[in-house]
Amino acid sequence: MADELDGAEHGRLVAYARDEDKARFLLGCAVARRVLGVHLLLPPDQVKLDRTCPDCGRPHGKVRTEGMQLSVSHSGDLVAVAFHPSTPVGLDVEVIDPKIDADSLATVSLAEVETKELARYEPAARARAFTAYWTRKEAVVKATGHGMRADLRKVIVSAPDQPAEVQEWHGYDGPVQLVDLEAGSDYAAALAVLAAGDLTVHSIDAAPLLSSGSAHRR
Ligand SMILES: CC(C)(COP(=O)(O)OP(=O)(O)OC[C@H]1O[C@@H](n2cnc3c(N)ncnc32)[C@H](O)[C@@H]1OP(=O)(O)O)[C@@H](O)C(=O)NCCC(=O)NCCS
Ligand SMILES: [Zn+2]
């Protein structure tokens, strides 16, 4: 799939030291390019993606393309891309690592009310609960494009055992909807959509698109 990437993506690909990071990045590019290729009736390598970072100009920012909003996320063995024709979306998947120190991570990413809620979970269940909080918050800041420049302690979301919703964030005052996605028992995943109104999420396995080779070979 590497021959479907553009020059900026090639530069990113070869710069990764670890094979698994290369693979995750490459798959994110391939899914985005192949889905957009089918949508635009173009070969994947002809799809124009702009990854320019608004801060430094390097190609590591939120992926943009004309006529589609998208968001890429990868963690562990999972790579996911969200698409919407007009509304900004933010997707975050994270592998649940039972060894993380959820209480320490909470001090830099959870609000006081969320930290108190987390403390109600048994220590063995805390990594999963923390990761649910984390993916919900990251989905929101990825939808707006703030990314980790936002203070996650100020993005207050519902408790992990409650339906996902943003309860408070003064950094953004437009509409936002949040949903948890099913990603298997080892992962947490959330999707944020910057619009009000009815929301239907279709989750589609990208494996057939990848294993079938490019849909549009010249
Ligand atoms: C975006 C960000 C939250 C991703 O976190 P992560 O959990 O490590 O990684 P994920 O796999 O979930 O997401 C990675 C994807 O986020 C996307 N992304 C990068 N910056 C983004 C932003 N500001 N908003 C939304 N999405 C962004 C990219 O598409 C990236 O995928 P790629 O591999 O195709 O480049 C984090 O990397 C970030 O905030 N980066 C920008 C902050 C920063 O330092 N900016 C200044 C740099 S000069
Ligand atoms: Zn940058």
Side-chain angles (χ1 to χ4, degrees):
M1 290 169 242
D3 60 357
E4 294 169 12
L5 307 193
D6 66 18
E9 290 167 335
H10 262 292
R12 293 260 320 266
L13 185 70
V14 298
Y16 282 110
R18 297 190 311 167
D19 284 349
E20 60 263 42
D21 289 327
K22 275 191 210 291
R24 281 188 280 260
F25 175 68
L26 179 58
L27 281 173
C29 296
V31 173
R33 288 185 168 279
R34 290 188 179 200
V35 171
L36 290 168
V38 170
H39 179 69
L40 299 167
L41 303 178
L42 283 174
D45 65 343
Q46 297 295 300
V47 172
K48 294 220 174 335
L49 296 180
D50 180 2
R51 298 170 176 272
T52 309
C53 167
D55 291 333
C56 70
R58 283 181 289 159
H60 58 207
K62 184 171 185 176
V63 194
R64 290 181 305 253
T65 192
E66 223 170 276
M68 190 68 80
Q69 299 282 338
L70 61 156
S71 181
V72 178
S73 188
H74 24 62
S75 179
D77 289 336
L78 202 58
V79 176
V81 188
F83 300 87
H84 191 283
S86 56
T87 300
V89 287
L91 178 65
D92 193 52
V93 299
E94 296 286 342
V95 69
I96 297 166
D97 176 359
K99 296 191 295 300
I100 56 166
D101 182 351
D103 294 330
S104 299
L105 292 168
T107 62
V108 291
S109 53
L110 300 194
E112 208 178 309
V113 58
E114 295 167 332
T115 305
K116 281 193 185 136
E117 179 66 30
L118 184 72
R120 290 164 34 152
Y121 286 79
E122 292 295 322
R126 237 170 257 171
R128 177 174 299 276
F130 174 80
T131 311
Y133 265 134
W134 177 268
T135 51
R136 288 177 177 184
K137 286 166 181 259
E138 257 208 58
V140 174
V141 298
K142 288 179 76 175
T144 61
H146 287 80
M148 294 301 280
R149 284 168 298 178
D151 182 348
L152 289 186
R153 291 171 298 190
K154 300 205 166 126
V155 183
I156 303 179
V157 297
S158 46
D161 61 352
Q162 298 297 313
E165 82 176 349
V166 179
Q167 295 184 329
E168 195 182 312
W169 183 24
H170 296 300
Y172 170 77
D173 56 11
V176 54
Q177 293 186 72
L178 194 55
V179 285
D180 289 331
L181 302 180
E182 173 51 48
S185 58
D186 296 336
Y187 294 85
L191 174 73
V193 181
L194 301 187
D198 288 342
L199 179 65
T200 307
V201 180
H202 302 279
S203 294
I204 301 168
D205 184 359
L209 190 65
L210 299 171
S211 60
S212 65
S214 167
H216 293 275
R217 287 271 177 225
R218 280 167 302 169

